[in-house]
Amino acid sequence: MHPISLRTALLLGAGLAALTAVPATAQDAATDNAAAAEEAQTDTSNDIIVTARRRQESAQDIPLAVSVLDAKQLDETGAFNVNRLQQLAPTLQFYSSNPRNTAVNIRGLGVPFGLTSDGFEQGVGIYVDDVYYSRVASATFDFLDVAQIEVLRGPQGTLYGKNTTAGAINIQTNQPTFDFEGRAEVSVGNYNYQQARVAVSGPLSDKVAARIAFSGTSRNGTIRNVVTGEDIQSLDNIGLRAQLLWEPTDTLKIKLVGDYNKQDAVCCGSVFVRTGATQRPLNRQFAALAAAQNYAPPSTDPFDRLTDLDSNLNAGNVIAGAALKITWDVGPGTFTSVTAWRTWDWKPENDRDFTGLSIVRLSQNPSQQDQYTQEFRYAYSGEAFDFVLGAFAFDQRIDTQGTEQHGIASSRWTIAPNNALSNEPSVLNGLTARNLQFLKSTSAALFGQLSWKVTDAFTIQPGARLNYDKKSGFYQRRVFTGTGVELTGRETDARSRAQLAVFTPQESAPEDTDWNLTYDLTASYEVAPDVLAYGTYARSFKTIGINQNGLPTDANGVPIAAAGTIRPEKVDHFELGLKSQFWDRKATLNLAAYRTDIRDYQATVNNGQFGVLRGYLANAGKVRSQGIEADFQIRPSERFIAYASGAYTDAKYVRFTDAPCPPEFAGGTTVGAGQTPSAPGTPGGLSPANCDISGQRLPGVSKWSFSFGAEGNVPARVLGQEGEVYLGYDGSYRSDFSSNPSPSVYTFVDGYSLSNFRLGFRTQGGLNIFGWVRNAFDEDYFEQLFVGPGNTGLIAGLPGDPRTWGGTVAVTFR
């Protein structure tokens, strides 16, 4: 293990200081804690209070598919970010090649799988204390002082500020209190894993309370870079959140919140996985190109966890913001105002050729975002009617400055071997594309939902949303040779043509506006005590998109202006569900069946060239996701709890006739009139310009996924402390999934299962000490596979975490 860094030592010191900072009245606080814990343990029901519908109610009483994870489950299972959350919520999918290129999907829908563009909206909304986080990069940060997380499945637009078509992750943090309380936790483990978390809350006066929370996580990387000697895919996260609550009257609450989160990891890379034959001539496929430069990957076994990436790696990522929330009980209901500002600063460095050769020397697109949101809501609850009326405004600006530069090995790799220029490194060495772009996005909406209790058992719940969106963007790519000469794109000499085949100057300024009226209707019926049946229809949408990273070109190299904007998605969602509690509410069983049809699905298209980092957007004809979900939990006594959740997801392209071809069909000569595409992987064959992938599976979606686990405990006295010894297990399974937008035989990720164990001792006074092991059986699996650029047949991948183990000490005090 490496020596503990100064920063981490300070983190651990802060945590340990808080652990020992229990005041002299701790014995009284421990007594109060014991009473509260005993009362909680006596109640063995599974009644969980949620705010999914903007009011507090039992999760079992709402006609909505929702998974709820409390702080205890998150802490003890090590689910400290969304990536780990997916092991507890089988309908959630999370894929991240770096913080910017992160996909958070529910039921296979949400974000086009692949490299990210700023020009489209997210289909899964992330909310923290009612504030919408537009940057999906926020999903890579550690959860900070979280009380509960609700994963809502299906369209959310008539109750939430920002419309989302696939669902929402509603994160509730612990709030300021007028009684002193706190919590501190320190964890250490292998790979030099160190984490410290501290939260303290209490009164500043009889009307003002404050809460401050801090989290720091560091860990060595799990992949060894033989070129630099570094371990990449490390963790280095810091988070700080402060809240100030003022209650001037019994009916008015004003809360000011500020947060700062920073990542500074050696990230993000990949390892060599395999090669597969494409349509390119043999002398332009990976084996021949590598041999020509005496190159071999450091290992052909990806689970040796070795790489030789020669470009600097960085995933500098800062997300911060402030929010003002006003809650006022006025008239018969409650008025809420949430005003928020968020900022994002992204400083990446990547190796986009996935090899130890200096083909792409620089690949970096730093971005800066400012986001402002304002939401007003008025909520009323009565005997016969409940309703929520709201208004939402969103304004966003993103600026990006990109640099893509080729290195000394590029000419030999990129230019056809029969071209004499391929033997001249100077042709492409230093060739640079400088990209400048910005995006302005504005939206405004009116939304509302009514709940009418027709009878004590039967409720009708209609909702509607009127939405306006405007997007405008600018993109400019300037191209410079290694000697600093700017290319205009009109050069005709052989050297310039070879350079322009890699980077072509371009400028575009797409913009569009759109109005959308959407609605939903839910009917629910209590068929028996503690048994609720419901049915939902929702007509939803994902707003317009624009191609923010340059436009595709036609056969003559002319940008296709019509591709600058992307039509909104049109969503029809149907769902039937059943929620039940039985055995004196000691057990719950919830079932849901759904079908979601999306026309004009917004898909990411990548053309496999070095010069296209994030691809562009296009509308697929139609996709469909349908499936069945089940959630079961049982708590027969305070000594045992078990759960099992499962999902069958059938998500596919219903119609997508002009999709990008998978690598086995790509790289050859374009098919002409009267010609027939070659068989997959035929060297030097004919490639279709596009492929029909209708009927094939959407990327990133496992047909079967499960989460399951149990925990048991027995009373014990340890070192003079009364408490309980507990043993817990959490498992998950996901069947295979496609890791390419167009399914390829080379990029299917095999199914895998993970097992996590924990053994510990906790007291009713708030002390919890436990050891843990995650991926206990050291399962070899991939989080993602990547198709190398240039259609050479290279497949790279990101291995999932190996077995990790460690221990945690946590204390809660009042």
Side-chain angles (χ1 to χ4, degrees), residues 129-396:
D129 290 343
D130 290 355
V131 176
Y132 173 68
Y133 285 46
S134 67
R135 296 311 311 179
V136 74
S138 61
T140 66
F141 281 101
D142 296 355
F143 297 140
L144 186 57
D145 198 23
V146 167
Q148 182 169 284
I149 296 178
E150 303 160 8
V151 180
L152 287 65
R153 311 194 288 270
Q156 308 294 323
T158 60
L159 277 173
Y160 279 77
K162 188 68 173 173
N163 183 74
T164 55
T165 56
I169 299 175
N170 186 27
I171 301 173
Q172 300 291 321
T173 70
N174 292 303
Q175 300 300 295
T177 59
F178 284 92
D179 295 317
F180 177 77
E181 67 177 36
R183 186 177 189 278
E185 176 187 295
V186 174
S187 299
V188 295
N190 63 335
Y191 290 94
N192 204 23
Y193 174 77
Q194 301 165 58
Q195 184 178 76
R197 299 194 286 185
V198 182
V200 178
S201 180
L204 301 181
S205 70
D206 59 346
K207 294 184 181 297
V208 178
R211 187 179 191 96
I212 187 166
F214 171 82
S215 173
T217 304
S218 65
R219 190 195 70 181
N220 293 346
T222 58
I223 298 173
R224 185 73 171 177
N225 190 332
V226 300
V227 172
T228 64
E230 292 181 302
D231 294 323
I232 68 171
Q233 308 303 108
S234 62
L235 296 174
D236 192 354
N237 304 342
I238 288 179
L240 180 67
R241 183 178 182 85
Q243 303 180 71
L244 190 66
L245 174 64
W246 178 36
E247 296 187 357
T249 69
D250 292 340
T251 60
L252 180 64
K253 296 180 180 180
I254 301 173
K255 185 178 69 172
L256 180 64
V257 183
D259 69 276
Y260 176 85
N261 302 272
K262 181 180 180 181
Q263 292 177 327
D264 192 16
V266 181
C267 183
C268 299
S270 59
V271 299
F272 175 91
V273 176
R274 65 174 70 97
T275 60
T278 71
Q279 301 292 327
R280 298 191 86 179
L282 286 175
N283 63 0
R284 302 204 67 187
Q285 298 199 34
F286 183 85
L289 292 170
Q293 302 199 49
N294 296 315
Y295 171 75
S299 174
T300 57
D301 181 352
F303 297 106
D304 285 342
R305 299 180 182 273
L306 298 176
T307 192
D308 61 349
L309 303 180
D310 61 320
S311 296
N312 196 44
L313 299 179
N314 185 29
N317 193 22
V318 173
I319 289 182
L324 179 67
K325 183 175 181 179
I326 301 172
T327 307
W328 183 23
D329 294 332
V330 56
T334 300
F335 170 79
T336 302
S337 169
V338 183
T339 307
W341 162 76
R342 300 215 55 78
T343 185
W344 176 57
D345 189 8
W346 169 235
K347 297 179 179 178
E349 294 177 275
N350 303 289
D351 191 323
R352 285 294 177 192
D353 58 45
F354 304 137
T355 72
L357 292 171
S358 183
I359 303 170
V360 180
R361 186 162 61 201
L362 295 178
S363 179
Q364 49 202 45
N365 282 263
S367 295
Q368 307 83 40
Q369 176 210 248
D370 276 305
Q371 168 199 312
Y372 299 89
T373 56
Q374 175 63 60
E375 182 171 355
F376 297 114
R377 291 195 310 272
Y378 189 78
Y380 166 80
S381 294
E383 291 295 325
F385 295 95
D386 299 337
F387 69 81
V388 174
L389 292 175
F392 179 75
F394 172 85
D395 184 75
Q396 178 189 50

Side-chain angles (χ1 to χ4, degrees), residues 19 113 194 266 326 333 345 366 387 417 419 437 441 474 479 627 666 703 722 780:
L19 283 169
F113 189 87
Q194 301 165 58
V266 181
I326 301 172
D345 189 8
F387 69 81
N419 186 331
Q437 57 181 286
S441 180
F474 174 78
V479 181
K703 281 194 173 183
E722 296 290 342
D780 288 335

Side-chain angles (χ1 to χ4, degrees), residues 71-94:
K72 176 180 176 294
Q73 187 176 14
L74 295 171
D75 292 342
E76 293 187 354
T77 59
F80 60 82
N81 59 27
V82 176
N83 184 18
R84 300 194 177 203
L85 189 66
Q86 67 173 335
Q87 295 183 26
L88 301 174
T91 56
L92 182 70
Q93 296 95 34
F94 177 94

